[in-house]
Amino acid sequence: MLSKHRSHKLWLRLMALMAIVLVVSACAGPATQTTTEMEAPAAEMEDADGEMMDEQIFRATIPFFAQDWSPLRGGGWNMHYLAFWNAGPMYIDEHGALHPYVFNEWTPNEDMTVWTFKIDPDAVYSDGSSITAHDVVATWNLIAHPATTHQRVTLFLTGVAGFEDVFNGEAMEMPGVVALDDSTVEVTLEGPDPLFHKKIATNLIGPVKASVAIGEDGFEVAEWWHPKNNPVTSGPFMPESIDLNRGVVTFVKNPNFWLAEPKLDTVTVTSIEDTTIVTTMLANGELDQGWPPNDATSQQLLGSDFFECSVAPGIGGFFLNPNIEPTNDINFRKALVLAVDREQIFNLSSPDGRGWTPTGEPLRALPGQDPDFVPHPYDPEAAQEAMAASAYSDAADVPKMIMAGVSSPGTELLAQYMAEQWRQLFGIEAIEMSPQFDSYEGPSQPALFRDGAGVRVPDSALMLLGSLHSSSNLARNIMGGYADPEVDALIEEAVTKAADDPDRVALSRQAQRLFHEQWMIIPIGTGCGGSAKGNVMPWVHGTRRNADAQFLEPWTIYIEHVEE
Amino acid sequence: MGQYILRRIIYWIPALLLLAMVVYALAFFGAGDPIKLMFLREEGDVTYDAQRLDAIRREKGLDRPFLMQFGEYVWHLVRGDLGMSVISGRSVNDMIAATAPVSFQIGIATVILVALIGIPLGILAGLHHNQWIDNTILGSALFISGIPSYVVGPMLMVFLVLGLGVMNVPYGWDGLFSRKAILPMFVMVFGSIAIIIRQTRAGVLEVLSEDYVRTARAKGVPEIMVILRHMLRPVLTPVVTVLGQMLIGIVNGAIIVEKVFGIPGLGRLTIDFTYGVDYPVIVAITLIGAFLVMALNLAVDITYPFLDPRAGQAMTGIED
Amino acid sequence: MTTQELSATSGIELAQASRSNLWQDALARLAANRLAVIGIIPIVLLFFVALFGPTLTPYDFLAQDFTARLDSPSREHWLGTDELGRDVFSRILYGARTAVSVGLVSTAISLVVGLIMGSLAGYLGGRVDILVVWLTDVTRSMPALLLAIVINLTLKVPLEAWMEQLYLETKNTFFRQTMWVDLVLVFGALALIQWPGYARLIRGQILSIRSRNYVLAARALGMPTSRILTRYVIPNAMGPLIVAVSAGLGGAMVLESAFSFLGVGVQLPIPSWGKMISDGLRMWQTHPHLLAGPAVMMAVITVSFAWLGDGLNDALNPRQWK
């Protein structure tokens, strides 16, 4: 009886404890939410659905739980929105034309090894202070350094005197970047580069205010970009609140933006990983922009215009590794390539038939596109002949091949399609499909690797430098250390030619031809550089995107609901 | 008793440390390189090479030997600091402090709802063993539990938002008592209730055959009194244990519901930072889970003798 | 003391005398349980299909037909075709093999480990008990996803490299069955996640049973530990264990599908219901047949296992033998 009594009390206590924990945690919950103010205008929008609103809100979303909103990373999904809050040196529009931004003047010296840039006297940060040459120098030194983990800095600053030392963490400053006065930056290159000014025309290396972002030790201040630390930015908008746990970031108008007054009042970027949620929210008018998969369901709900695409340079595909078995055999590579029908690849990638059949030409859609380029055909018989001529005429001798980078439902389909062709034609069954992008060495080195490369400046030589040259990520990592001395020499010569020198294109085409004859890639994709207007709903106007994956002139974007 | 509890709690310290080391080592040696993954998870023309990765590792102190890094971690841990996230550079303490309350709210609310709905249904089913009520309750509960929550969640949402148009997408989290919480809570309860119904039903069936219940029934004691006085306690003892385990499971890993509905809880941290192999975050989440598991076991072991006197003798057996 | 002895001996005799009838009674009770009987049918079918599935399928589960992409169910393709024009019905049948393998093997592994650990803990007590309880706690507090990812990343590469090596030496195609590597890894992860549940269950049962009067009496009478275990403890713990196993079989399949949804699972292009469900989920609004087939299958099978388990529990529950 006694024990029963005690247990009763215990029960009561346990229940009371649970109730207390519930109350406490319920109270603690709202306290951690700092963005309730942001929800209010959103609700207002929904109430007056379909009407032109005074409050202009652009609600964007990324399919990734972004934790790092520093403008100095040069990568990550959130970098698609960098143009909203960070001004670059210059920018290139969707037609390839160069526009001034922070820099409004650029002049090279005679032999194209020293470039002088002038900062627009009107260019100011969100706190009203001028953008100075010292900020530019400090920012570029900072992003070159490994501690800042900028993901693409080599694309922009390679060739600057002293870049390598900083890049490898052996120095803190590049002697090649100097502030001549408050508004003049002088860049000394190790060799001639006629297109250096276009290379730096990107938001990914826009200057940040050194006194705010850089500590006394010369490194980036942790979370200086977070609104709680009163950051200073240079773009048309500035961060108002960042809730990393909920994945919601809110930007508001930068009152001091020098070029124009932004039409939008607020920009929100929400992390939503589940694609069904994104599609549903877009269809329900709760989002204005997002990256849903381009499939039948999304097209039905969002309208096919949502995925409107424009031709964009770049190359994508399954790249073959010429340095491991069995893909080191050129006949084997030839057999694999010939066995795949590019038309079917296109049908699988583009359910609405938008886009272009992939050709595997790196210079496609660039001024240097080769009119004589003949894509590899789909020819099962020739494929079987090539296989018979290879060292692997007996399918049982083929070592297992790993297809890496099979990371999305779309690429899973393509990989399975290709594997099935090879199984039917050659009897090859030992293929492993791995979502990983890892393991470039050892027993799990992939024979085929799905990836791609684009180019920010519409230029043939730069495109090849970033995709076929042995220093590029594609050659070094994706193609398992592809290094063709002839190709390298042609590209290295081409990049030194002036932009309008016909040799620049001619040399590039020659390099491309050599590469093409080596059967190195099974091209995939639709030739679209993503959506031209950035996957926005019909009521969003003025969105344009460039090859830098940035929204162009985001101050021109506005929302207008049109009654149907 | 007090001494016993103290001793159990002292046992936790080496357990937690060893667990931290095992998980840290698993992530460190087995799961990949967070710096490399940082670049690999990025599509397109990222540029890096082994030298650059080494340089970044050096800058972040990740090139040091395992024991040194782990030692540093433990040194911070002892002083209540869970370290800094490798990927985001944020303080793990802040991340946990912001997300754990949300997970607790969801966990406790789910457990209460499941108990309130599941236990009566289980008793009802047990009392009508093999009759249509039993078959209906058990059959539908089990059928519901057979549908994965990642199917139920999105389908219900699309149906309610686009099909019926009765609500907006309940994405995000405005606290437990907001409209956004209804659908995720429904999916959570939906997925967990069958366990409780079955457990309760099985308990009732067992108790029904006990002599004292038969006697009470034979004596003509009203059925409701029999249930309240004689059956509830023995039936609920294992049920409460299961509820506790359920709570831990939800707090520590409502990964799918948190991912689908964008709830800023521990589950969402788990999935993102596990894929990114962020050691400090993974270890922190594991330690929270371990702490909860141990606390629950202690609570169960302490209360067990009161609830089931027979097991008390066995308990004393453990203690010596 | 004497009365207790007496009652104990009579209890033992009673138990022995009625043993043969008990199983028959249990069977009769099971047959009376309508849900359990209904549940048996899909399970028998599932195992049949898992064994003979590949020979029963109307199409090769890998064969692609680009003229019939995303077809709705028709006479040619009973459950329609997927995005690559593969027959969904054939893939579901083949997927049954994956599901059964995952369920059976992972449950078997975790059950064996759980049985050993649980009995040791429950019967020996003391330090062993503390150690086992501690191990279960530690295992349970690790995030399941982390375990699965780590196992996938650490064991997979060396295991596959070793098998490929063996293949190139022997040319025995068995070593090319990478599906088994994946299955073993998924099983390993699932078994690691599940054994503590079984261990704790067994331990709890033993603790409760060994304090019952007839076991105490048998001990007092000097019956060896092993006989007490096999004669009283294990049979008595059977009911709850069978329920747990039947739930575990279904649970393992559901867990495998959740892993597939999160991106850690059986490798393409081997069909797994989990992968088919998570793929079908993308397009269910326009092509519901892609989701409906595997999802309904999964639900039916897990429910059948659970119904059967509950039926077995009722039938075998020793407390109801009186």
Side-chain angles (χ1 to χ4, degrees):
Chain A
M1 211 64 244
L2 186 78
S3 76
K4 194 179 174 186
H5 224 80
R6 267 161 69 187
S7 76
H8 259 303
K9 267 190 179 168
L10 202 85
W11 270 106
L12 275 174
R13 276 184 210 152
L14 276 176
M15 295 296 269
L17 192 73
M18 267 177 110
I20 290 168
V21 173
L22 183 65
V23 170
V24 168
S25 57
C27 296
T32 58
Q33 293 159 15
T34 52
T35 55
T36 27
E37 320 90 72
M38 170 237 125
E39 298 292 330
E44 203 177 296
M45 277 286 288
E46 286 146 19
D47 292 338
D49 193 23
E51 282 170 41
M52 173 75 185
M53 296 300 302
D54 298 328
E55 175 95 55
Q56 290 267 322
I57 307 182
F58 180 59
R59 295 158 301 175
T61 170
I62 48 173
F64 188 76
F65 196 41
Q67 291 287 311
D68 193 341
W69 286 81
S70 168
L72 303 173
R73 295 293 171 267
W77 266 101
N78 38 2
M79 291 302 124
H80 286 280
Y81 306 91
L82 196 55
F84 283 96
W85 43 293
N86 204 45
M90 288 94 87
Y91 62 91
I92 295 175
D93 68 17
E94 70 268 46
H95 309 296
L98 186 65
H99 296 261
Y101 202 176
V102 172
F103 292 162
N104 62 354
E105 256 180 63
W106 44 89
T107 34
N109 69 348
E110 198 83 336
D111 64 350
M112 302 277 177
T113 54
V114 178
W115 284 81
T116 313
F117 299 95
K118 280 275 182 200
I119 295 178
D120 186 335
D122 294 337
V124 289
Y125 292 109
S126 54
D127 63 352
S129 61
S130 295
I131 300 178
T132 69
H134 303 283
D135 290 335
V136 176
V137 174
T139 303
W140 288 3
N141 281 328
L142 188 65
I143 59 174
H145 197 271
T148 316
T149 62
H150 193 287
Q151 301 200 359
R152 291 186 169 79
V153 65
T154 43
L155 294 174
F156 315 121
L157 298 182
T158 303
V160 174
F163 171 73
E164 288 296 323
D165 288 342
V166 181
F167 185 71
N168 291 322
E170 284 146 19
M172 294 293 288
E173 286 173 6
M174 295 180 280
V177 185
V178 193
L180 295 183
D181 57 49
D182 268 358
S183 62
T184 316
V185 179
E186 187 186 78
V187 180
T188 313
L189 303 175
E190 277 162 351
D193 189 348
L195 284 183
F196 180 73
H197 61 307
K198 286 195 172 176
K199 266 161 77 176
I200 61 161
T202 167
N203 281 308
L204 301 188
I205 60 168
V208 296
K209 187 163 179 167
S211 58
V212 172
I214 304 177
E216 281 175 14
D217 55 358
F219 293 115
E220 185 181 5
V221 176
E223 299 202 341
W224 66 270
W225 37 268
H226 198 288
K228 70 184 176 194
N229 297 323
N230 293 322
V232 173
T233 58
S234 54
F237 299 89
M238 56 186 193
E240 186 199 46
S241 71
I242 296 185
D243 187 335
L244 296 173
N245 300 303
R246 290 152 56 98
V248 183
V249 176
T250 311
F251 298 101
V252 292
K253 248 183 230 195
N254 169 4
N256 289 313
F257 187 64
W258 71 96
L259 278 181
E261 199 204 325
K263 293 183 179 172
L264 295 171
D265 295 305
T266 308
V267 178
T268 65
V269 183
T270 312
S271 299
I272 305 181
E273 290 121 304
D274 191 278
T275 54
T276 312
I277 299 266
V278 175
T279 311
T280 311
M281 287 181 84
L282 284 166
N284 198 39
E286 292 178 69
L287 282 175
D288 305 315
Q289 188 271 345
W291 311 96
N294 182 359
D295 58 28
T297 301
S298 298
Q299 278 170 15
Q300 193 194 39
L301 287 171
L302 307 176
S304 54
D305 286 350
F306 183 84
F307 294 100
E308 188 185 313
C309 85
S310 64
V311 62
I315 184 167
F318 281 85
F319 293 86
L320 303 157
N321 186 336
N323 294 325
I324 61 163
E325 290 184 350
T327 41
N328 56 358
D329 184 328
I330 189 168
N331 280 315
F332 185 80
R333 294 207 297 271
K334 186 175 171 184
L336 292 190
V337 175
L338 287 173
V340 174
D341 187 352
R342 288 177 296 113
E343 291 294 336
Q344 299 295 13
I345 294 267
F346 174 73
N347 290 340
L348 285 173
S349 310
S350 174
D352 56 350
R354 230 183 260 271
W356 300 266
T357 306
T359 60
E361 180 185 7
L363 298 181
R364 185 190 58 88
L366 283 168
Q369 180 166 356
D370 189 346
D372 302 326
F373 183 87
V374 183
H376 293 309
Y378 168 59
D379 189 344
E381 281 169 29
Q384 270 167 330
E385 280 167 28
M387 186 55 81
S390 77
Y392 303 100
S393 47
D394 180 359
D397 295 332
V398 180
K400 189 176 76 177
M401 292 191 285
I402 295 177
M403 297 175 93
V406 186
S407 57
S408 67
T411 46
E412 279 174 3
L413 278 185
L414 297 178
Q416 291 183 75
Y417 162 69
M418 291 191 270
E420 178 64 9
Q421 299 308 109
W422 300 331
R423 185 179 78 107
Q424 299 278 2
L425 271 178
F426 315 126
I428 296 174
E429 294 204 25
I431 293 173
E432 185 190 327
M433 292 162 201
S434 158
Q436 292 293 322
F437 277 83
D438 206 341
S439 312
Y440 299 117
E441 60 285 305
S444 56
Q445 197 171 10
L448 298 109
F449 209 131
R450 200 269 311 160
D451 206 347
V455 66
R456 291 175 160 72
V457 183
D459 175 77
S460 304
L462 287 182
M463 172 70 204
L464 297 191
L465 185 68
S467 54
L468 307 186
H469 189 267
S470 58
S471 67
S472 69
N473 180 52
L474 270 192
R476 203 198 309 242
N477 297 319
I478 305 301
M479 291 190 271
Y482 170 81
D484 186 310
E486 263 184 276
V487 172
D488 275 9
L490 287 167
I491 297 172
E492 279 158 25
E493 197 187 338
V495 289
T496 61
K497 302 285 179 202
D500 49 357
D501 187 338
D503 277 354
R504 200 173 165 98
V505 165
L507 289 166
S508 301
R509 281 185 184 159
Q510 212 179 327
Q512 163 175 292
R513 223 164 287 145
L514 282 175
F515 174 77
H516 188 58
E517 282 157 15
Q518 290 164 349
W519 305 87
M520 287 294 298
I521 174 178
I522 299 165
I524 62 170
T526 59
C528 293
S531 162
K533 40 186 193 68
N535 283 11
V536 293
M537 295 307 281
W539 52 81
V540 181
H541 303 272
T543 52
R544 293 140 61 211
R545 291 178 82 232
N546 64 3
D548 199 16
Q550 295 293 325
F551 284 91
L552 280 166
E553 297 165 6
W555 53 89
T556 60
I557 298 172
Y558 64 97
I559 311 278
E560 188 178 327
H561 289 270
V562 180
E563 304 246 11
E564 287 184 19
Chain B
M1 182 51 85
Q3 223 182 359
Y4 171 71
I5 295 175
L6 197 72
R7 216 167 65 192
R8 282 284 294 265
I9 291 178
I10 290 172
Y11 272 123
W12 289 1
I13 296 166
L16 289 174
L17 279 181
L18 193 76
L19 178 66
M21 183 153 107
V22 169
V23 173
Y24 204 97
L26 276 178
F28 188 89
F29 293 110
D33 172 3
I35 300 299
K36 199 169 176 182
L37 283 169
M38 213 187 271
F39 283 83
L40 292 173
R41 289 172 96 189
E42 179 79 15
E43 301 258 326
D45 52 357
V46 288
T47 46
Y48 70 95
D49 52 35
Q51 223 180 344
R52 169 78 165 179
L53 295 185
D54 284 344
I56 295 176
R57 260 182 231 126
R58 208 164 46 236
E59 292 298 332
K60 297 214 168 208
L62 294 172
D63 60 336
R64 296 169 298 160
F66 169 74
L67 277 179
M68 214 162 143
Q69 289 190 47
F70 181 68
E72 189 189 72
Y73 183 81
V74 171
W75 175 240
H76 288 295
L77 188 67
V78 170
R79 294 182 298 172
D81 178 4
L82 291 165
M84 292 291 240
S85 152
V86 175
I87 301 175
S88 69
R90 297 175 58 203
S91 150
V92 179
N93 282 26
D94 290 353
M95 290 160 76
I96 299 288
T99 50
V102 177
S103 286
F104 268 102
Q105 285 178 44
I106 296 177
I108 291 172
T110 308
V111 164
I112 290 175
L113 283 175
V114 163
L116 286 180
I117 303 169
I119 294 175
L121 282 176
I123 293 177
L124 203 63
L127 290 178
H128 299 271
H129 185 213
N130 275 359
Q131 294 166 20
W132 67 268
I133 297 184
D134 181 25
N135 287 353
T136 313
I137 294 176
L138 192 64
S140 48
L142 292 176
F143 192 79
I144 281 170
S145 72
I147 309 170
S149 57
Y150 63 85
V151 175
V152 178
M155 284 186 78
L156 263 181
M157 184 203 65
V158 171
F159 178 67
L160 292 173
V161 175
L162 295 180
L164 298 181
V166 293
M167 66 197 294
N168 281 322
V169 176
Y171 190 81
W173 186 250
D174 293 340
L176 190 57
F177 301 104
S178 70
R179 256 190 300 172
K180 278 187 182 172
I182 297 173
L183 199 54
M185 286 310 301
F186 180 80
V187 174
M188 292 297 308
V189 173
F190 194 83
S192 340
I193 201 160
I195 307 168
I196 291 304
I197 293 182
R198 290 175 81 188
Q199 189 74 48
T200 314
R201 176 178 170 276
V204 169
L205 291 183
E206 187 166 334
V207 172
L208 276 180
S209 59
E210 292 279 357
D211 292 335
Y212 59 89
V213 174
R214 293 183 180 191
T215 317
R217 281 179 139 182
K219 278 200 300 191
V221 178
E223 190 76 12
I224 183 79
M225 289 305 287
V226 176
I227 295 172
L228 286 180
R229 181 162 293 170
H230 297 288
M231 284 169 55
L232 219 47
R233 200 173 58 146
V235 167
L236 286 190
T237 308
V239 170
V240 169
T241 314
V242 174
L243 283 173
Q245 287 167 358
M246 192 184 280
L247 175 68
I248 292 171
I250 295 168
V251 170
N252 211 19
I255 293 179
I256 288 177
V257 170
E258 289 189 9
K259 183 185 151 151
V260 169
F261 292 102
I263 297 169
L266 288 174
R268 204 166 172 210
L269 278 193
T270 307
I271 185 160
D272 281 300
F273 288 87
T274 303
Y275 280 127
V277 197
D278 201 323
Y279 323 129
V281 183
I282 296 174
V283 175
I285 291 168
T286 313
L287 287 181
I288 291 177
F291 184 81
L292 287 175
V293 170
M294 289 172 185
L296 176 82
N297 287 338
L298 181 62
V300 168
D301 285 350
I302 292 171
T303 49
Y304 219 56
F306 300 112
L307 299 173
D308 187 356
R310 279 183 313 212
Q313 297 157 26
M315 268 293 294
T316 45
I318 297 174
E319 272 188 316
D320 53 25
Chain C
M1 195 63 199
T2 37
T3 41
Q4 209 175 16
E5 258 174 49
L6 249 175
S7 71
T9 27
S10 64
I12 292 167
E13 275 164 13
L14 194 118
Q16 279 169 336
S18 54
R19 169 139 306 175
S20 57
N21 294 333
L22 287 177
W23 291 105
Q24 289 174 8
D25 288 358
L27 206 64
R29 258 193 290 264
L30 186 65
N33 186 323
R34 258 171 257 142
L35 286 181
V37 174
I38 296 172
I40 288 176
I41 300 166
I43 293 173
V44 170
L45 267 178
L46 175 77
F47 278 88
F48 179 76
V49 167
L51 264 180
F52 302 106
T55 54
L56 299 175
T57 55
Y59 296 88
D60 180 353
F61 72 96
L62 283 175
Q64 301 173 0
D65 179 1
F66 271 66
T67 57
R69 286 180 56 205
L70 288 170
D71 276 5
S72 300
S74 63
R75 196 170 293 171
E76 289 83 52
H77 299 285
W78 292 352
L79 292 178
T81 59
D82 67 7
E83 284 173 282
L84 286 164
R86 295 176 297 197
D87 185 52
V88 173
F89 183 61
S90 304
R91 288 183 72 74
I92 287 180
L93 289 192
Y94 200 90
R97 179 172 273 202
T98 318
V100 167
S101 317
V102 169
L104 274 186
V105 180
S106 73
T107 306
I109 296 174
S110 47
L111 183 63
V112 168
V113 176
L115 254 177
I116 295 172
M117 300 296 246
S119 334
L120 283 177
Y123 212 82
L124 296 179
R127 294 239 164 93
V128 181
D129 185 47
I130 291 174
L131 183 74
V132 170
V133 168
W134 184 79
L135 263 179
T136 58
D137 288 352
V138 167
T139 317
R140 267 206 287 208
S141 41
M142 286 198 214
L145 186 68
L146 174 72
L147 269 179
I149 290 179
V150 166
I151 288 183
N152 242 330
L153 290 178
T154 46
L155 297 183
K156 193 169 177 164
V157 172
L159 199 58
E160 290 191 341
W162 178 68
M163 281 177 73
E164 178 67 13
Q165 194 62 39
L166 283 179
Y167 167 78
L168 290 175
E169 279 165 19
T170 60
K171 295 278 174 202
N172 184 335
T173 46
F174 170 77
F175 297 113
R176 273 282 168 85
Q177 300 289 326
T178 46
M179 170 184 160
W180 293 106
V181 177
D182 283 328
L183 288 182
V184 166
L185 292 174
V186 177
F187 300 151
L190 291 180
L192 261 179
I193 292 158
Q194 289 176 327
W195 76 263
Y198 294 114
R200 291 302 282 262
L201 180 80
I202 302 283
R203 173 179 172 272
Q205 286 294 318
I206 290 176
L207 284 188
S208 151
I209 291 163
R210 73 171 204 172
S211 59
R212 300 242 159 114
N213 287 340
Y214 55 88
V215 176
L216 291 175
R219 258 173 126 183
L221 287 174
M223 200 183 259
T225 306
S226 58
R227 281 203 48 193
I228 295 180
L229 266 178
T230 51
R231 176 151 294 180
Y232 300 110
V233 178
I234 291 177
N236 275 293
M238 215 55 176
L241 196 61
I242 287 177
V243 178
V245 168
S246 64
L249 279 171
M253 294 180 194
V254 173
L255 203 57
E256 190 271 335
S257 84
F259 277 9
S260 283
F261 176 71
L262 295 172
V264 190
V266 179
Q267 201 186 96
L268 298 167
I270 303 297
S272 114
W273 291 350
K275 181 74 183 144
M276 291 174 80
I277 291 175
S278 59
D279 278 349
L281 206 55
R282 282 186 296 118
M283 303 184 71
W284 67 273
Q285 291 170 78
T286 41
H287 301 91
H289 69 272
L290 290 179
L291 176 63
V296 167
M297 210 58 143
M298 170 85 82
V300 166
I301 293 300
T302 45
V303 170
S304 303
F305 270 115
W307 283 350
L308 178 66
D310 272 14
L312 285 172
N313 179 41
D314 295 355
L316 289 172
N317 196 333
R319 308 290 299 152
Q320 292 169 301
W321 288 359
K322 289 180 205 163

